[in-house]
Amino acid sequence: MAPAVLIQNLQKRYGPVEAVKDVSLTVEPGQIFGLLGPNGAGKTTTLRCLCTLTKPDLGIVEVAGVSAIKNPKKARQLLGYVAQEVALDKVLTGRELLQLQAALYHLPRAVAAERIKATLALLDLDNYADQKTGTYSGGLRKRLDLAAGLLHQPVVLVLDEPTVGLDIESRRVIWDFLRQLRDSGTTVLMTSHYLEEIDALADRVAIIDQGKVIAEGTPSELKDQVGGDRITLRIREFAPLDEAEKAKAMIQALPFVQDVLINPDQGNSLNLVVVPQSEALSTIQQALKEVGLPTFGIAQARPSLDDVYLAATGRTLLDADVAASGKRDPKAERKQNMR
Amino acid sequence: MTTTPVKPNTSLVAPANSPLKTPGLLSGEFFQETFALARRLFIQLQRRPSTLIAGIIQPLLWLVLFGALFQNVPEGLFGTSQNYGQFLGAGVIVFTAFSGALNAGLPVMFDREFGFLNRLLVAPLASRFSIVLASAIFITALSLIQTAAIIAVSALLGAGLPGPLGLSIVTLIVLLLVLGVTALSLGLAFALPGHVELIAVIFVTNLPLLFASTALVPLSFMPTWLQAIASLNPLSYAIEPIRYVYLHTHWSLSSVVLQAPWGSVTMGVALLVLIGFDALALISVQRLLRRTLA
Ligand SMILES: Nc1ncnc2c1ncn2[C@@H]1O[C@H](COP(=O)(O)OP(=O)(O)O)[C@@H](O)[C@H]1O
Ligand SMILES: [Mg+2]
């Protein structure tokens, strides 16, 4: 069986900007596949190439074995695309928008009516269906957009940053919904620059940075690959630097400790990478006591996807995100992306 | 929503290997999508009727105010028209249809700018020509409503009413003009970078084309250079036949409707000029639309 989505060596540049340099990924049917990367990594461009909105410069793009480049009309039938920015007609009601959507996907009248009813119920939109979408809140708008993307029962649902800008509650509701959707058999390809989101939802993840896939696997595979556990140690709430240095020198000498960093942003706390072992915390605390240093707090955790990103790029996802968002000109890009 | 249980719904999964046909132009699917897109425009109109109301009131004000302005003009000055109001009726009908059609591209441009067009472009449309056709249907319907209102009011103002055949010629001419101008406007909506540029183009075309036509005064009033321009202006070829059927109960395709500097133009020739204008407009935008919408 052909993979739900196959992208190979995708390339796309906008003038001098190489938005996508080399992206390859394979999404198996029935998965939630997460594309994680900081702002500007090339996630949206990749999805636009998949959904036939942008012609790639090079590469293979297939949906369930159908080439989105050679056979875009067939590919469109198989895809449901929910863009990063919700574009609704604010004069139409939610129901009218879904009716339009159903006609654009050529659903017969009776089927459309039934699906609209079911989809509205599924996303708990019944009470708002006959109000104009101009009156909707952000969460409602996103849910209606999601409903529109699902109406024709696509083989692959493609979601670009489905929860960006939403409140915690709306975000959780959408997470639950996506899990249910996956369990009922729909393949989901989603992007996010929130690692908790990908960690919580994705069966497989590709981490993308500056237009390239830098890591791919299940979230736990990726974390295992970076190896080691992470320990955060705070001697005091705000430790003086000399104490922190003293503790660092002492801890570095312990056999199971691989790396120690002092984090001045967190009151000179110590960030440790250690070989996973059960006595790590008590051993460290004991050693501190022997040199007369207190322990304010200590916690051990498995590596996160952020550690995966850090290991591959040398910076945290958050830093990369902040650095990139200042450099972009959303208005100019929108103009460029206008069709 | 949190409490809505989702049954493991196998019908939510489209069979990946189902034979997929892709319908083309003039298929049932094409009409379905065209109808749905046009319906959206009519719903917008119904919820925001101010454009339509303004679009009807404005030409009526033209008729009444311009008519009053030139009320005391000596008889016979405007050719065989009994009064200026009668002369002006044809000009207002054509100019109203023209400006309406010229604006046809604006909603499409806003759809491009707001990203709504992407919704249409990721859908498996039988043909993206449906997006253009839906706008054309909408604008045509709008123009016909406006035309009917103008004809009715000018009849009340004493301009008279052409016979049934005359009215069908008026309708035909309005349709021909709207078709060509709508095509050009929609072409511009895809060619220009944004609504500011489109509005600028509409602005610099609209009034000059009105003044350089026979809408407000006959050709004989104009200096030679303007006569030359006005007798090249497609608007004149729409206005003069309509004016003629308003004034003459008996007319035929060989009736002379316009005395251009280089010779007389018959009803038949005027219609041919309009058809030629449409053909030219459609051919010139077809390439453009094919490039952006293919
Ligand atoms: N239409 C465009 N014109 C010029 N540059 C663009 C355009 N779209 C995206 N880019 C640039 O390409 C890079 C990748 O963008 P994008 O795919 O939107 O990233 P992401 O969705 O991961 O934030 C960014 O540097 C962005 O500024
Ligand atoms: Mg993006």
Side-chain angles (χ1 to χ4, degrees), chain A residues 8-319:
Chain A
Q8 267 175 7
N9 306 109
L10 184 69
Q11 272 182 42
K12 176 73 193 176
R13 55 159 67 235
Y14 295 104
V17 183
E18 285 187 281
V20 174
K21 286 183 199 137
D22 183 12
V23 167
S24 299
L25 45 95
T26 307
V27 182
E28 294 302 334
Q31 287 183 341
I32 295 183
F33 191 102
L35 207 52
L36 174 68
N39 196 341
K43 304 182 296 295
T44 297
T45 306
T46 303
L47 295 194
R48 284 178 64 92
C49 289
L50 173 62
C51 295
T52 75
L53 280 174
T54 299
K55 261 219 168 73
D57 297 335
L58 213 70
I60 295 174
V61 182
E62 284 181 9
V63 189
V66 176
S67 166
I69 299 161
K70 292 192 203 100
N71 211 336
K73 243 194 234 183
K74 274 190 186 175
R76 287 180 201 125
Q77 290 180 333
L78 302 170
L79 288 166
Y81 176 53
V82 181
Q84 188 168 348
E85 282 169 43
V86 188
L88 304 172
D89 182 333
K90 59 179 185 237
V91 179
L92 297 187
T93 66
R95 190 185 308 278
E96 285 161 350
L97 183 93
L98 294 182
Q99 283 164 347
L100 172 63
Q101 189 86 16
L104 297 181
Y105 286 84
H106 308 130
L107 301 185
R109 239 188 141 76
V111 178
E114 183 195 313
R115 294 256 182 96
I116 289 172
K117 200 164 161 247
T119 313
L120 284 171
L122 207 62
L123 282 151
D124 202 24
L125 286 164
D126 298 281
N127 293 336
Y128 309 95
D130 295 309
Q131 291 175 17
K132 289 183 208 163
T133 63
T135 65
Y136 285 14
S137 67
L140 272 181
R141 289 159 56 83
K142 198 75 203 183
R143 261 148 69 190
L144 181 66
D145 206 13
L146 212 53
L150 277 171
L151 208 57
H152 63 288
Q153 303 181 340
V155 172
V156 182
L157 183 64
V158 180
L159 306 168
D160 199 358
E161 312 248 3
T163 67
V164 70
L166 296 187
D167 57 277
I168 304 275
E169 172 60 16
S170 302
R171 183 180 293 185
R172 208 182 50 76
V173 163
I174 286 180
W175 286 10
D176 283 346
F177 180 74
L178 291 180
R179 286 198 192 97
Q180 289 165 339
L181 200 65
R182 183 255 327 263
D183 295 343
S184 71
T186 302
T187 309
V188 177
L189 170 58
M190 62 180 287
T191 71
S192 184
H193 65 279
Y194 299 130
L195 45 102
E196 329 84 77
E197 181 158 273
I198 295 295
D199 215 355
L201 283 179
D203 301 308
R204 276 190 92 78
V205 53
I207 300 184
I208 173 172
D209 188 60
Q210 300 184 0
K212 284 187 179 160
V213 175
I214 54 172
E216 210 252 281
T218 68
S220 69
E221 271 170 21
L222 291 180
K223 293 177 205 166
D224 288 347
Q225 274 168 26
V226 268
D229 277 6
R230 301 300 187 271
I231 290 178
T232 313
L233 165 67
R234 316 185 79 165
I235 310 167
R236 303 177 194 280
E237 194 167 7
F238 298 100
L241 190 59
D242 59 334
E243 268 188 16
E245 296 282 9
K246 187 174 160 193
K248 179 182 172 182
M250 188 272 301
I251 289 168
Q252 235 159 8
L254 294 172
F256 58 89
V257 175
Q258 294 172 322
D259 196 10
V260 185
L261 276 175
I262 297 176
N263 187 348
D265 294 337
Q266 300 282 336
N268 288 330
S269 67
L270 296 169
N271 293 344
L272 285 58
V273 179
V274 301
V275 180
Q277 62 171 178
S278 49
E279 286 94 49
L281 292 186
S282 53
T283 312
I284 291 170
Q285 270 175 292
Q286 186 57 39
L288 283 171
K289 209 180 249 168
E290 279 164 17
V291 293
L293 285 173
T295 306
F296 176 75
I298 188 163
Q300 185 171 9
R302 295 191 57 207
S304 69
L305 286 176
D306 203 17
D307 296 314
V308 178
Y309 183 80
L310 183 70
T313 65
R315 52 185 189 164
T316 67
L317 201 55
L318 191 66
D319 288 343

Side-chain angles (χ1 to χ4, degrees), chain A residues 48 51-53 64 73-74 76-78 81 87-93 96-97 99-108 121-124 132 143 145 148 153-155 169 172-173 177 180-181 184-186 334-335 337-339, chain B residues 1-2 4-14 16 20-24 29-30 32-33 36-37 39-40 43-44 47-48 109 112-128 190 192-194 292 294:
Chain A
R48 284 178 64 92
C51 295
T52 75
L53 280 174
K73 243 194 234 183
K74 274 190 186 175
R76 287 180 201 125
Q77 290 180 333
L78 302 170
Y81 176 53
L88 304 172
D89 182 333
K90 59 179 185 237
V91 179
L92 297 187
T93 66
E96 285 161 350
L97 183 93
Q99 283 164 347
L100 172 63
Q101 189 86 16
L104 297 181
Y105 286 84
H106 308 130
L107 301 185
L122 207 62
L123 282 151
D124 202 24
K132 289 183 208 163
R143 261 148 69 190
D145 206 13
Q153 303 181 340
V155 172
E169 172 60 16
R172 208 182 50 76
V173 163
F177 180 74
Q180 289 165 339
L181 200 65
S184 71
T186 302
R334 234 161 90 171
K335 273 256 139 98
N337 281 332
M338 244 167 70
R339 286 285 307 264
Chain B
M1 162 169 176
T2 47
T4 316
V6 180
K7 302 154 226 94
N9 184 354
T10 43
S11 78
L12 261 180
V13 192
L20 290 162
K21 58 179 172 58
T22 51
E29 285 83 352
F30 177 72
Q32 185 184 17
E33 69 204 27
L37 288 168
R39 177 174 178 252
R40 168 178 173 233
I43 293 176
Q44 285 177 341
R47 306 248 162 93
R48 285 193 297 211
M109 179 60 94
R112 283 180 67 203
E113 290 184 338
F114 287 121
F116 196 87
L117 188 70
N118 285 343
R119 187 180 289 287
L120 313 183
L121 295 183
V122 297
L125 298 181
S127 163
R128 290 174 170 179
F190 285 105
L192 296 176
T292 29

